C-alpha cells in the first residue's frame, strides 16, 4: 500500500499571530511593501525544503488566503500533496471547542455557532493547533502550536483557506496515488536518416541530438524524484522504483549471445541496440536495452568505443565510453582502499606489539574505550562474546588485533582503468618507510575487480554491503580466509559505492531507453551487465514490453554464465535467446585463414565461399544446442556485412532453422538503424510469447568438480577435465571453508569452444585442463582458470589516442570510434 | 555584442505541401485522428532537438496556425526565440513575387494584391521559401525549400501565422537579450538554528536540507543552459558564462590565509565559509566561496572531511568529500594514461627497429599513409618540414620514431586517490611480457599530479590543452625534455579533462553559493583552488559582491604562491587578505609544548596563558608583514575556541592591530554559523573598499636563484640559500632549456617559517637548503625542494573507515567528520 505522510507549513501563522496587529503595522511602515513578500518567500523556502525531503510525502498549506499566491502553489511538487487532519482547540475562559478538520470536513453550523460565541467574548483567547500525520491509516501527533493573541479576521481566513485546501488535497492525493502506479509510455522516438556510405560512429553520434534525459525519463514513466541527472544526457535512476512498481508484472527478458567470435567481435552490442531501436521506434513496443559499461582504458588503446556502432548506437557515444557517471572510478577507489588497508595492516602488525595494536585499534576517546560495530562483528566471528574492551584476555586480544595475513597469500590486487602493461607484475613497499615489507603483486584493469562483479550481481544496498564485507582478500598464516569485514573497511566501501549502485539511463540513436550498468570482465568474472538494471527495466517496460540484455563472449561462456550465475542470483528467467552470427566468423570456423585485428581480411572473407560457410555452421549448430540445454528457444540473428552474398545469407538461415533455431533472420541495423532489425524484432515478439522450460545446467549442491565437469562436457564438448595439483588443493580448501556450493565461473578463452584458441568449429576429443581455481566469495562464484587469463591489457605502438582530440572552441571530440 | 542565430521548423510544411490534398485526406481516413497529433509531435521533437543544440539560439516557428497549440509553444525554451527573416518567392508562369518577411513586416497592400493575382491564375505555382540566419548583423542564407503544389488556404495561413509569430519573436528577442545581461541576485538563505553543544559535522550537515542546486543557480543569475546538474546538490557551471558576462565588472577578491599552523590546522576553511555565510545571509551582500576539492584518500585515513566544520560547512559534506563530480578521478585517468604511454613507448622502442616503429606509428590505412596532426607538430619541433611520410630520410625517421626516453630520467609518476603508503616506491614491469624492462618508480596521491596544478591555473579549454601538451615527462638519453605532445597523448588528455574544467557549484549551510574546483597539493604545487572558479565567481557576484578564496598552509607558503603564481597567471588582484590565527597556534609559537594529532592537548592550551600568547604573536606579526610586502591590507580573524579566554582574545586583537593589521576581529562561525562572523564581514567590507597597491615579490625575468633567494630572505627570514649540487645542475639544465622565466613554487614544510618544522615563532639566522629542484612545465612553475616532501600519505593503524558506514535503508552515511 502507498504510505502517505503529512507536514505543515505554519511558520507564517506563528509569525503573524505572535505579533500584535500594531507590531505588524509598524513592520509594514518601516519596510514598505516588503513584509508580505518576505513572508511568502519564507513559505516558499519551507516548501522547497520539504519538497526535497524524501521522508516527507506531503505538505499541508496552512496559510491565510492572501498567501495562497500562484508562486506558493507552484512551489509544491505535485507528489507532495496529501491528506491531513488538523486538530483545532479554542479556549476562552472555561469554554472549550475542539474539532478535527479533515479533508472531507466543511464548517458545520454548530461549530460555526460555537466559534462565534467564543470569539465574541471578552478575555484572552487561546488557540491550539495540532497537526496530525496520517500514516497508513495510523494517526501520529506532531508539533503543537498555540497562541494567546488571536484575531478574528485571521482566524476565519485560516478556516476558509483550510477547507478550500483540504478539498484540493483530496484531489491531488488521488492524482498522487495514480502517479505511483505504472505509467504507460509516451515514447517519442528520434528520427534517423541513415546515410550511405555509413559515416564514422562519432560522426553519426554527433549528428543526432539526444533528447534531454529528463524528457526520456518522463516518457517511460519515471517520476522526477527517481531521477538524478548527470548533465543532460545521462541520469542515475533510484532503486526506490523497484518498490514503487513491485506489483507490476515483468516484461519479456531477451538475451543476446553469440557464436564463437573472431578476434574482431561479431556485433552482439549492435544487435542488442538495433533490436531495441526496432522494437521501440518501429514496432512501438516498450523496450529497454541493458548494456555493460565499458572499461575506459581500452578506449585509448586498440579497441575503440563500445557503444554499438553505425546506426545502432548509444548516444552520446563519448559519454558512454568515458567517465559516464563515475561508477568504474568508484569501484577503483573502493578496490584500492582495500588494497591499501591490507598492506598497511600487514606493516602495522609486523611493527607493533599486541598491546600497542589493541590500544590503537580500540582507543580511549574522552576516557571511554569501545568497539565499533564492525569490530564487534569480528569478535563474534572469533567466538569472543564480549563487548567491554577491558574484558578481553591477552589471547583474545591477540586473536582480535592480528589478522596475521600471509603476504604470500594476499589474493587482492590493486586496479586502474588504464591499459598499463607495466603494472602486470610489480613490487610494492620498497620505500624506507615500509621497513623492508616489500612484496610482489599486480594491478588489474578496474573492471576485473571483484567489486565490479558484486555491483553486477547485487540486488540492493543491504545486499551489496554484505557482499563487500564477505570479500576474501587473502588468508592468514594458519589458513583462515581474511575478509574486508576483518579489515574494518566494509562501511567505507559501501559509502564509496552508494551512487554506483544506481543504473545509468541513456538513449539509443532513435531515442529509446538504455540502462548502462556494471561491466565485469568476461574472462575472470561473469561478463554480464547488472541484475539491478535488468530488474528496473523489466518493471518499466511493463508486461507487454521487452528487456534486451547481452552476454559477453560466445554463448558457451557469456550465456552459460548468464543462466547459471546471473539468472540464478536474480531469480529472473529469460524468454528467448538471440544468437548472433556473422558470415565472417562462420567462414573462420569452416577453415578460413586467421582473422587478426589491424590486418586486412583475407580474400576468403571478402568473396563468396559457400563451402566455408556450410562447414563453419557446425559452431552455430553447437551453440544452438547449448541454448537448448537450458530449455530456452533461440533465434539466430545474422549480422549482415556488405561483403556477404545472398546465397551465403540464405544458407546460414536455412542451416540455423534446420539446427533447431525457432527463427533465423538477417539484420541490417548497422547501416539502417532500427528499421534494419524489424524482422528480428518481429521474430523476438513471436518466440518470446511462447512458454519455455528454463532450467539450470547443474545444481549448486553438486561438488565443485562435478559442476566443472558438467560445463566442460555438456557445453564445451570436452571428454573430461583434468585438475592440476594446485586446483585440487584449492578445491579441498574451498570445501573445508564451506565455499563449495557456489556456482562456477569458467575463465576460458572465448576464441574456441575448447581451451585452445586456435581450434575453431566444434573441437572434440580433448581434456579440459584446470590450471588453478580461485574464488570471488563476495560476488559469489568460484572461477577455475583454464589457461592464462590476462587481466591487464597493454597499449599498442600507436594507440588510439593519437587520433583523439578535443576542439577547444566547439568542445567536439574527434577520433573516437 | 550578443550574437543571434535563427533556425526554422518547417518539416510539417514540407510534409503537408509535398502531399496533395487528396493524399492528406487518404492518410487521415486510414489513420483516423492520428495524423495531426503525429505532426505536432514531430514539431515538438524538432523543437526539443533545437532546444538542446547550443549552437542554435533561436527557433522560427513556421507553421499553420492550427499547429500553434499550447504544447508546441511550451516546448520552446524561452531563450530560443530570435529575430528571423524569411525570403518568400512565388513564381507562376513568368510572374514572380519576392518578399522579405522580417520581424517588423506586416502584409502590405501591394504585396497582398500581387499575391492574389498570382494565386488566382491557372497553372503550376512554384513557391520558394528561404530562411535567413541573422548572425550579428550579417545575413547568412540557409536551406531553401520549394514546392510545385501549393494551396491557397495553406499559404495564407502560413502568412498570418508568420506575421503573428514574428511580432512575438521581437518581444521575446528583447527578453532573451535581457536575460543575457547580468542578473541581480535573489538569494534566499537557508535558516540556521545552531545547537549547543555543537553536534558532529555530519549531523549538522544532514540536519540542513540543501536547496535544489538548480534553484540556487537561478537565484544567483545563472541561465539554465549554463548548468549541468549532477544529482540535486551539485552542478557543473559552463565556462561560456565568462563570455556572457565579459563586460560585467568583477567583485572584490578576498584571500583567506593563515599564520604558521599547528598540525591540527587553524580553520581557514571554516573562516572562509563562515565569512561568506555572514556576507550573503546576514549582510545581504552577494558573496561566493571558492574552495579546493579535497583528496578523497585522506577522508578514509586520519584527516576526515574538508568541507569546513561546525556551523560553517559546505553541504552535503559527504558529497563534497567523496567523488564530487569526478574531477579527481578524471585527473587520475589522464595522469595514468601518460604513465602507461611512457612505459609502453620505452618497451616498443626497445624491441622494434626504426622501420617497424615507423610503419606502426604511421600505418597505411586503405593504402594511404599520413601523419596525424600531433605527429606533424612533433615533426615541426624536430625541424622536419615534411608532410608526406614517404619523404622522410632514415635519419629523420629515426629522430621521429625514437623519443629515446631515459628510463632513469622519467619524472612522471602514476597516481591514485588512496592513502597507499606501499606505493611510495615500487618496481614496475616485472612480468615476462615486459621483457626485462623493469624500473623503479612511485605512485603519488592524485592531487599531487601536475594535471591538478594545470586544472587550477588554466583559463580555458584551449589553454588547458596547450599546458597538457607541454608537460615534461622525462628526458631523452641525450638530455632533451620529452613532453606529452611527443607521446601523442595531448588530445586524449584534453578529452578526459573536458568536464573537469567546469567548476562545481555547491552551497553552504546557509544556502549561499560555493565553487569547489581543483585542489593542487600545497607542498609540491601551489595549493590554491582554480583560477576559473574565481573568475566565474567574480563575474557572478557583481561589482558590489565578494569572492572569498583560500590559500593552503601558512601565509608564507599558500599566500606567497597565491600572489606570485596564481594572481600572476590569472591577472586578478586581491583586495584584502584575511589572516586566520588561533590562540592555540599562537601559544605553540610562544613556546608551548608540541601539539600532536590524536593526542590530548597539554594544559597550556586549555588554561589561560597570556605570556605564551604574547610571545607567540611574533609569528602573527611576521605573517602580517609578509602580506604587506605585496601591498595588500590584512585583517586578522581570530578563530575562537571555547577554551580561549577574553583576555587572550583581546591581547591577540590588540597586538594584531599594533602590528599593522587593518582590523582584528574574533570569529564564532564554528558554533554560530554566519552570524558568528558578521563582525569579520563588516571589516572585510570596509577594508576591501580601500584602494591598495598590489605588487609581486619578484620579476619573472630574475634568475631562478635570485627568485628563490628573494622568497627565502623576504618571506621566510633566512639569511641566505644554499644549493645542493643536484639543485645547481637542475638550474643549469632549466636555464639551457629556456624554463628560467617561470615563477617559483617552494616545497617547504608548513609547520615553520623556516625549513625546520620544530622551529616555531619567527626563526632567524638560518640558511635555507635547496635539496633539489623540479619543474612542472605544463602548470608553469619551478619547484625547489626544501627537505623531503611526502607525496603519498599512509593509513594509520585504525583508519577513519572503522567508523564509516552506510545505512542500507535510509542511505544515510555515518562516521564522516
Amino acid at each position: 500500500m502507498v504510505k502517505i505522510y503529512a507536514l505543515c507549513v505554519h511558520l507564517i501563522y506563528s509569525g503573524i499571530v505572535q505579533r500584535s496587529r500594531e507590531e505588524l503595522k509598524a513592520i509594514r511602515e518601516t519596510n514598505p511593501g516588503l513584509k508580505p513578500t518576505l513572508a511568502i518567500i519564507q513559505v516558499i523556502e519551507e516548501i522547497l525544503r520539504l519538497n526535497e525531503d524524501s521522508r516527507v510525502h506531503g505538505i499541508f498549506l496552512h496559510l491565510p488566503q492572501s498567501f495562497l499566491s500562484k508562486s506558493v502553489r507552484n512551489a509544491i511538487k505535485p507528489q507532495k500533496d496529501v491528506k491531513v487532519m488538523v486538530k483545532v482547540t479554542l479556549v476562552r475562559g472555561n469554554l472549550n471547542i475542539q474539532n478535527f478538520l479533515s479533508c472531507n470536513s466543511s464548517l458545520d453550523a454548530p461549530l460555526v455557532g460555537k466559534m462565534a460565541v467564543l470569539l465574541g467574548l471578552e478575555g484572552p483567547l487561546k488557540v491550539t493547533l495540532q497537526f496530525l500525520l496520517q500514516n497508513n491509516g495510523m494517526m501520529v501527533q506532531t508539533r503543537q502550536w498555540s497562541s494567546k493573541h488571536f484575531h478574528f479576521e485571521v482566524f476565519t481566513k485560516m478556516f476558509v483557506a483550510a477547507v478550500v485546501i483540504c478539498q484540493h488535497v483530496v484531489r491531488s492525493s488521488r492524482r498522487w496515488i495514480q502517479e505511483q502506479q505504472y505509467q504507460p509510455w509516451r515514447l517519442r522516438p528520434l528520427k534517423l536518416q541513415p546515410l550511405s556510405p555509413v559515416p564514422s560512429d562519432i560522426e553519426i553520434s554527433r549528428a543526432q541530438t539526444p533528447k534531454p534525459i529528463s524528457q526520456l525519463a518522463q516518457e517511460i514513466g519515471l517520476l522526477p524524484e527517481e531521477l538524478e541527472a548527470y548533465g543532460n544526457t545521462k541520469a542515475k535512476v533510484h532503486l526506490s522504483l523497484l518498490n514503487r512498481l513491485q506489483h507490476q508484472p515483468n516484461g519479456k527478458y531477451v538475451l543476446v549471445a553469440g557464436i564463437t567470435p573472431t578476434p574482431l567481435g561479431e556485433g552482439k552490442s549492435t544487435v542488442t541496440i538495433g533490436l531495441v531501436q526496432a522494437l521501440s521506434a518501429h514496432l512501438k513496443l516498450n523496450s529497454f536495452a541493458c548494456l555493460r559499461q565499458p572499461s575506459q582504458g581500452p578506449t585509448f588503446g586498440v579497441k575503440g568505443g563500445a557503444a554499438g556502432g553505425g546506426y545502432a548506437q548509444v548516444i552520446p557515444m563519448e559519454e558512454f565510453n568515458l567517465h559516464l557517471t563515475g561508477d568504474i572510478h568508484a569501484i577503483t577507489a573502493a578496490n584500492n582502499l582495500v588494497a591499501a588497508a591490507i598492506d598497511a595492516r600487514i606493516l602495522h602488525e609486523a611493527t607493533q606489539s599486541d598491546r600497542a595494536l589493541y590500544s590503537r585499534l580500540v582507543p580511549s576517546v574522552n576516557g571511554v574505550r569501545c568497539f565499533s560495530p564492525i569490530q564487534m562483528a569480528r569478535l563474534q566471528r572469533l567466538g569472543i562474546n564480549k563487548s567491554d574492551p577491558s574484558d578481553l584476555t591477552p589471547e583474545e586480544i591477540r586473536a582480535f588485533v592480528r589478522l596475521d595475513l600471509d603476504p604470500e597469500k594476499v589474493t587482492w590486487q590493486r586496479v586502474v582503468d588504464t591499459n598499463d602493461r607495466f603494472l602486470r607484475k610489480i613490487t610494492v613497499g620498497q620505500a624506507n618507510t615500509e621497513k623492508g615489507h616489500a612484496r610482489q603483486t599486480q594491478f588489474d584493469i578496474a573492471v576485473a575487480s571483484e567489486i565490479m562483479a558484486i555491483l553486477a550481481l547485487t540486488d540492493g544496498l543491504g545486499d551489496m554491503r554484505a557482499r563487500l564485507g564477505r570479500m576474501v582478500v587473502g588468508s592468514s598464516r594458519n589458513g583462515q580466509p581474511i575478509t574486508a569485514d576483518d579489515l574494518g573497511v566494509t562501511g567505507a566501501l559501501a559509502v564509496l559505492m552508494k551512487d554506483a549502485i544506481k543504473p545509468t539511463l541513456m538513449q539509443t540513436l532513435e531515442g529509446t531507453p538504455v540502462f548502462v550498468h556494471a561491466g565485469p570482465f568476461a574472462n575472470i568474472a561473469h561478463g554480464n551487465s547488472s541484475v539491478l538494471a535488468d530488474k528496473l527495466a523489466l518493471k518499466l517496460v511493463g508486461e507487454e514490453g521487452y528487456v534486451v540484455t547481452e552476454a559477453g563472449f560466445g554463448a558457451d561462456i557469456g550465456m552459460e554464465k548468464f543462466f547459471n550465475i546471473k539468472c540464478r542470483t536474480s531469480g529472473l528467467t529469460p524468454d528467448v535467446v538471440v544468437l548472433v552470427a556473422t558470415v565472417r566468423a562462420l567462414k573462420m570456423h569452416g577453415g578460413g585463414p586467421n582473422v587478426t585485428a589491424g590486418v586486412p581480411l583475407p580474400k576468403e572473407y571478402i568473396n563468396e565461399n559457400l563451402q566455408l560457410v556450410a562447414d563453419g555452421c557446425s559452431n552455430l549448430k553447437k551453440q544452438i544446442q547449448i541454448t537448448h540445454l537450458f530449455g530456452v528457444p533461440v533465434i539466430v540473428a545474422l549480422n549482415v556485412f556488405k561483403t556477404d552474398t545472398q546465397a551465403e545469407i540464405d544458407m546460414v538461415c536455412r542451416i540455423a532453422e534446420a539446427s533447431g533455431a525457432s527463427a533465423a533472420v538477417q539484420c541490417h541495423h548497422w547501416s539502417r538503424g532500427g528499421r534494419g532489425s524489424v524482422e528480428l524484432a518481429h521474430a523476438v515478439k513471436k518466440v518470446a510469447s511462447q512458454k519455455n522450460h528454463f532450467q539450470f545446467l547443474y545444481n549448486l549442491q553438486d561438488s565443485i568438480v562435478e559442476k566443472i565437469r558438467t560445463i566442460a562436457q555438456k557445453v564445451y564438448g570436452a571428454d573430461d577435465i583434468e585438475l592440476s595439483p594446485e586446483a585440487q588443493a584449492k578445491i579441498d580448501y574451498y570445501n573445508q571453508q564451506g565455499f563449495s556450493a557456489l556456482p562456477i565461473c569458467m575463465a576460458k578463452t572465448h576464441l574456441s569452444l575448447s581451451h585452445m584458441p586456435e581450434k575453431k568449429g566444434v573441437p572434440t576429443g580433448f581434456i579440459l585442463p584446470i590450471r588453478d581455481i580461485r574464488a570471488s566469495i563476495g560476488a559469489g562464484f568460484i572461477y577455475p582458470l583454464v589457461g592464462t587469463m590476462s587481466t591487464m591489457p597493454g597499449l599498442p605502438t600507436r594507440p588510439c589516442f593519437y587520433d583523439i582530440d578535443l576542439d577547444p572552441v566547439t568542445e567536439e571530440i574527434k577520433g573516437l570510434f
Side-chain angles (χ1 to χ4, degrees), chain A residues 345 349 361 372-384 396-404 476 480-483 485-488:
Chain A
R345 183 64 176 249
E349 288 189 24
L361 283 169
S372 67
I374 202 161
Q375 291 177 327
M376 287 297 299
R378 174 163 165 79
L379 286 172
Q380 280 182 2
R381 281 195 301 280
L382 292 170
I384 303 171
E396 287 171 338
I397 289 175
R398 183 173 184 80
F400 172 72
V401 301
R402 297 211 173 266
L403 305 183
D404 200 29
S476 67
Q480 286 303 304
I482 302 297
T483 63
D485 255 346
D486 289 321
L487 287 164

Short mmCIF file of all heavy atoms in Angstrom, two decimals, chain A residues 345 349 361 372-384 396-404 476 480-483 485-488:
data_model
loop_
_atom_site.label_atom_id
_atom_site.label_comp_id
_atom_site.label_asym_id
_atom_site.label_seq_id
_atom_site.Cartn_x
_atom_site.Cartn_y
_atom_site.Cartn_z
N ARG A 345 47.97 -2.78 7.11
CA ARG A 345 47.72 -3.64 8.26
C ARG A 345 48.87 -4.63 8.47
O ARG A 345 49.31 -4.87 9.60
CB ARG A 345 46.39 -4.39 8.06
CG ARG A 345 45.97 -5.26 9.22
CD ARG A 345 45.70 -4.42 10.47
NE ARG A 345 45.21 -5.24 11.55
CZ ARG A 345 43.95 -5.18 12.02
NH1 ARG A 345 43.09 -4.32 11.54
NH2 ARG A 345 43.58 -5.97 13.01
N GLU A 349 50.92 -4.61 11.91
CA GLU A 349 51.01 -5.82 12.76
C GLU A 349 52.45 -6.26 12.93
O GLU A 349 52.84 -6.75 13.99
CB GLU A 349 50.16 -6.95 12.15
CG GLU A 349 48.67 -6.71 12.28
CD GLU A 349 47.83 -7.93 11.89
OE1 GLU A 349 48.36 -9.06 11.97
OE2 GLU A 349 46.66 -7.74 11.53
N LEU A 361 43.76 0.23 17.96
CA LEU A 361 42.52 -0.21 17.29
C LEU A 361 41.28 0.11 18.13
O LEU A 361 40.20 0.34 17.59
CB LEU A 361 42.57 -1.72 17.00
CG LEU A 361 43.44 -2.12 15.81
CD1 LEU A 361 43.65 -3.63 15.78
CD2 LEU A 361 42.79 -1.66 14.50
N SER A 372 33.93 -0.60 17.74
CA SER A 372 32.99 -0.13 16.72
C SER A 372 32.17 -1.35 16.28
O SER A 372 32.56 -2.49 16.52
CB SER A 372 33.74 0.47 15.55
OG SER A 372 34.46 -0.52 14.89
N PRO A 373 31.00 -1.12 15.66
CA PRO A 373 30.15 -2.26 15.26
C PRO A 373 30.90 -3.29 14.42
O PRO A 373 30.73 -4.49 14.60
CB PRO A 373 29.03 -1.59 14.46
CG PRO A 373 28.95 -0.20 15.01
CD PRO A 373 30.35 0.17 15.38
N ILE A 374 31.77 -2.82 13.51
CA ILE A 374 32.45 -3.78 12.65
C ILE A 374 33.47 -4.60 13.44
O ILE A 374 33.78 -5.75 13.10
CB ILE A 374 33.07 -3.08 11.42
CG1 ILE A 374 33.28 -4.08 10.29
CG2 ILE A 374 34.37 -2.35 11.76
CD1 ILE A 374 33.44 -3.43 8.94
N GLN A 375 33.99 -4.02 14.53
CA GLN A 375 34.89 -4.78 15.40
C GLN A 375 34.10 -5.80 16.22
O GLN A 375 34.57 -6.93 16.44
CB GLN A 375 35.67 -3.83 16.30
CG GLN A 375 36.68 -2.97 15.52
CD GLN A 375 37.42 -1.98 16.37
OE1 GLN A 375 36.89 -1.44 17.35
NE2 GLN A 375 38.68 -1.71 16.02
N MET A 376 32.90 -5.42 16.63
CA MET A 376 32.05 -6.38 17.35
C MET A 376 31.76 -7.60 16.46
O MET A 376 31.77 -8.74 16.93
CB MET A 376 30.72 -5.72 17.75
CG MET A 376 30.80 -4.72 18.89
SD MET A 376 31.31 -5.46 20.46
CE MET A 376 29.99 -6.63 20.71
N ALA A 377 31.54 -7.33 15.19
CA ALA A 377 31.25 -8.43 14.26
C ALA A 377 32.46 -9.36 14.17
O ALA A 377 32.32 -10.58 14.13
CB ALA A 377 30.90 -7.88 12.88
N ARG A 378 33.66 -8.78 14.15
CA ARG A 378 34.85 -9.63 14.10
C ARG A 378 34.98 -10.47 15.37
O ARG A 378 35.31 -11.66 15.32
CB ARG A 378 36.11 -8.78 13.89
CG ARG A 378 37.40 -9.59 13.97
CD ARG A 378 38.60 -8.91 13.37
NE ARG A 378 39.84 -9.57 13.79
CZ ARG A 378 40.30 -10.70 13.25
NH1 ARG A 378 39.66 -11.27 12.27
NH2 ARG A 378 41.42 -11.26 13.70
N LEU A 379 34.71 -9.85 16.51
CA LEU A 379 34.77 -10.60 17.77
C LEU A 379 33.82 -11.79 17.72
O LEU A 379 34.17 -12.89 18.13
CB LEU A 379 34.40 -9.68 18.95
CG LEU A 379 35.45 -8.65 19.35
CD1 LEU A 379 34.89 -7.68 20.38
CD2 LEU A 379 36.70 -9.35 19.91
N GLN A 380 32.64 -11.56 17.17
CA GLN A 380 31.68 -12.67 17.09
C GLN A 380 32.20 -13.78 16.20
O GLN A 380 32.08 -14.95 16.53
CB GLN A 380 30.34 -12.16 16.58
CG GLN A 380 29.53 -11.51 17.69
CD GLN A 380 28.18 -11.03 17.21
OE1 GLN A 380 27.83 -11.22 16.05
NE2 GLN A 380 27.45 -10.39 18.10
N ARG A 381 32.79 -13.41 15.07
CA ARG A 381 33.34 -14.45 14.19
C ARG A 381 34.43 -15.23 14.89
O ARG A 381 34.64 -16.42 14.65
CB ARG A 381 33.90 -13.82 12.91
CG ARG A 381 32.84 -13.46 11.88
CD ARG A 381 33.43 -13.19 10.50
NE ARG A 381 34.40 -12.10 10.50
CZ ARG A 381 34.08 -10.81 10.49
NH1 ARG A 381 32.81 -10.44 10.50
NH2 ARG A 381 35.01 -9.87 10.49
N LEU A 382 35.15 -14.55 15.80
CA LEU A 382 36.22 -15.22 16.54
C LEU A 382 35.67 -16.01 17.72
O LEU A 382 36.43 -16.62 18.47
CB LEU A 382 37.24 -14.18 17.04
CG LEU A 382 38.08 -13.48 15.96
CD1 LEU A 382 38.86 -12.32 16.56
CD2 LEU A 382 39.03 -14.46 15.29
N GLY A 383 34.36 -15.94 17.93
CA GLY A 383 33.76 -16.65 19.05
C GLY A 383 33.98 -15.96 20.39
O GLY A 383 33.89 -16.59 21.45
N ILE A 384 34.29 -14.66 20.36
CA ILE A 384 34.50 -13.91 21.61
C ILE A 384 33.24 -13.10 21.88
O ILE A 384 32.97 -12.11 21.20
CB ILE A 384 35.72 -12.97 21.49
CG1 ILE A 384 36.96 -13.79 21.11
CG2 ILE A 384 35.94 -12.21 22.79
CD1 ILE A 384 38.17 -12.94 20.75
N GLU A 396 42.73 -13.45 23.66
CA GLU A 396 41.64 -12.91 22.85
C GLU A 396 42.07 -11.61 22.16
O GLU A 396 41.73 -11.37 21.00
CB GLU A 396 40.41 -12.66 23.74
CG GLU A 396 39.72 -13.96 24.15
CD GLU A 396 38.64 -13.76 25.19
OE1 GLU A 396 38.67 -12.73 25.92
OE2 GLU A 396 37.76 -14.63 25.30
N ILE A 397 42.84 -10.81 22.89
CA ILE A 397 43.35 -9.58 22.28
C ILE A 397 44.21 -9.92 21.07
O ILE A 397 44.08 -9.34 20.00
CB ILE A 397 44.14 -8.75 23.32
CG1 ILE A 397 43.17 -8.15 24.33
CG2 ILE A 397 44.98 -7.67 22.64
CD1 ILE A 397 43.84 -7.40 25.48
N ARG A 398 45.06 -10.90 21.25
CA ARG A 398 45.95 -11.30 20.15
C ARG A 398 45.14 -11.76 18.93
O ARG A 398 45.40 -11.35 17.80
CB ARG A 398 46.87 -12.42 20.63
CG ARG A 398 47.88 -12.86 19.58
CD ARG A 398 48.91 -13.85 20.12
NE ARG A 398 49.89 -14.13 19.09
CZ ARG A 398 50.91 -13.36 18.78
NH1 ARG A 398 51.13 -12.24 19.45
NH2 ARG A 398 51.75 -13.67 17.80
N ALA A 399 44.14 -12.59 19.20
CA ALA A 399 43.30 -13.09 18.10
C ALA A 399 42.58 -11.94 17.42
O ALA A 399 42.44 -11.91 16.19
CB ALA A 399 42.28 -14.11 18.64
N PHE A 400 42.17 -10.95 18.23
CA PHE A 400 41.39 -9.83 17.68
C PHE A 400 42.27 -8.89 16.86
O PHE A 400 41.88 -8.47 15.76
CB PHE A 400 40.73 -9.07 18.85
CG PHE A 400 40.07 -7.80 18.41
CD1 PHE A 400 38.89 -7.83 17.68
CD2 PHE A 400 40.63 -6.56 18.72
CE1 PHE A 400 38.27 -6.64 17.28
CE2 PHE A 400 40.02 -5.38 18.31
CZ PHE A 400 38.84 -5.43 17.59
N VAL A 401 43.45 -8.54 17.36
CA VAL A 401 44.24 -7.50 16.70
C VAL A 401 45.06 -8.03 15.53
O VAL A 401 45.48 -7.26 14.67
CB VAL A 401 45.19 -6.76 17.68
CG1 VAL A 401 44.39 -6.11 18.80
CG2 VAL A 401 46.25 -7.70 18.24
N ARG A 402 45.32 -9.34 15.52
CA ARG A 402 46.19 -9.87 14.47
C ARG A 402 45.38 -10.61 13.41
O ARG A 402 44.88 -11.70 13.65
CB ARG A 402 47.24 -10.82 15.06
CG ARG A 402 48.17 -10.11 16.03
CD ARG A 402 49.56 -10.68 16.08
NE ARG A 402 50.36 -9.80 16.93
CZ ARG A 402 51.10 -8.79 16.45
NH1 ARG A 402 51.19 -8.58 15.17
NH2 ARG A 402 51.76 -8.00 17.28
N LEU A 403 45.29 -9.99 12.23
CA LEU A 403 44.71 -10.73 11.11
C LEU A 403 45.73 -11.75 10.64
O LEU A 403 45.40 -12.78 10.07
CB LEU A 403 44.36 -9.78 9.97
CG LEU A 403 43.44 -8.61 10.32
CD1 LEU A 403 43.12 -7.80 9.07
CD2 LEU A 403 42.15 -9.11 10.97
N ASP A 404 47.00 -11.43 10.90
CA ASP A 404 48.10 -12.33 10.59
C ASP A 404 48.10 -12.75 9.12
O ASP A 404 48.35 -13.91 8.78
CB ASP A 404 48.01 -13.57 11.51
CG ASP A 404 49.35 -14.29 11.60
OD1 ASP A 404 50.39 -13.61 11.45
OD2 ASP A 404 49.35 -15.51 11.79
N SER A 476 45.21 -16.02 6.34
CA SER A 476 46.16 -15.84 7.44
C SER A 476 47.21 -16.94 7.37
O SER A 476 47.08 -17.90 6.62
CB SER A 476 45.42 -15.90 8.76
OG SER A 476 44.93 -17.21 8.96
N GLN A 480 43.27 -19.29 7.58
CA GLN A 480 41.91 -18.76 7.65
C GLN A 480 41.72 -17.68 6.58
O GLN A 480 42.59 -16.83 6.41
CB GLN A 480 41.66 -18.13 9.04
CG GLN A 480 41.48 -19.15 10.14
CD GLN A 480 40.34 -20.12 9.83
OE1 GLN A 480 39.22 -19.72 9.59
NE2 GLN A 480 40.67 -21.42 9.78
N PRO A 481 40.57 -17.69 5.92
CA PRO A 481 40.31 -16.59 4.98
C PRO A 481 40.12 -15.27 5.72
O PRO A 481 39.45 -15.23 6.75
CB PRO A 481 39.02 -17.02 4.26
CG PRO A 481 38.40 -18.06 5.11
CD PRO A 481 39.49 -18.68 5.93
N ILE A 482 40.72 -14.21 5.19
CA ILE A 482 40.58 -12.88 5.79
C ILE A 482 39.69 -12.05 4.85
O ILE A 482 39.90 -12.04 3.63
CB ILE A 482 41.94 -12.21 5.96
CG1 ILE A 482 42.86 -13.07 6.84
CG2 ILE A 482 41.80 -10.80 6.54
CD1 ILE A 482 42.38 -13.28 8.26
N THR A 483 38.72 -11.37 5.44
CA THR A 483 37.73 -10.66 4.62
C THR A 483 37.84 -9.14 4.79
O THR A 483 38.54 -8.65 5.68
CB THR A 483 36.30 -11.06 5.04
OG1 THR A 483 36.12 -10.63 6.40
CG2 THR A 483 36.09 -12.55 4.94
N ASP A 485 35.54 -7.39 5.91
CA ASP A 485 34.99 -7.14 7.25
C ASP A 485 36.09 -7.19 8.30
O ASP A 485 36.11 -6.37 9.21
CB ASP A 485 33.92 -8.20 7.58
CG ASP A 485 32.50 -7.63 7.48
OD1 ASP A 485 32.36 -6.40 7.42
OD2 ASP A 485 31.56 -8.42 7.46
N ASP A 486 36.99 -8.17 8.18
CA ASP A 486 38.09 -8.27 9.14
C ASP A 486 38.96 -7.01 9.11
O ASP A 486 39.51 -6.59 10.12
CB ASP A 486 38.95 -9.50 8.84
CG ASP A 486 38.22 -10.80 9.17
OD1 ASP A 486 37.51 -10.84 10.19
OD2 ASP A 486 38.34 -11.76 8.39
N LEU A 487 39.08 -6.41 7.93
CA LEU A 487 39.88 -5.19 7.79
C LEU A 487 39.14 -3.96 8.31
O LEU A 487 39.73 -2.89 8.43
CB LEU A 487 40.25 -4.96 6.32
CG LEU A 487 41.30 -5.89 5.72
CD1 LEU A 487 41.28 -5.80 4.20
CD2 LEU A 487 42.70 -5.54 6.25
N GLY A 488 37.85 -4.10 8.56
CA GLY A 488 37.07 -2.97 9.08
C GLY A 488 36.65 -1.98 8.02
O GLY A 488 36.25 -0.86 8.33
#
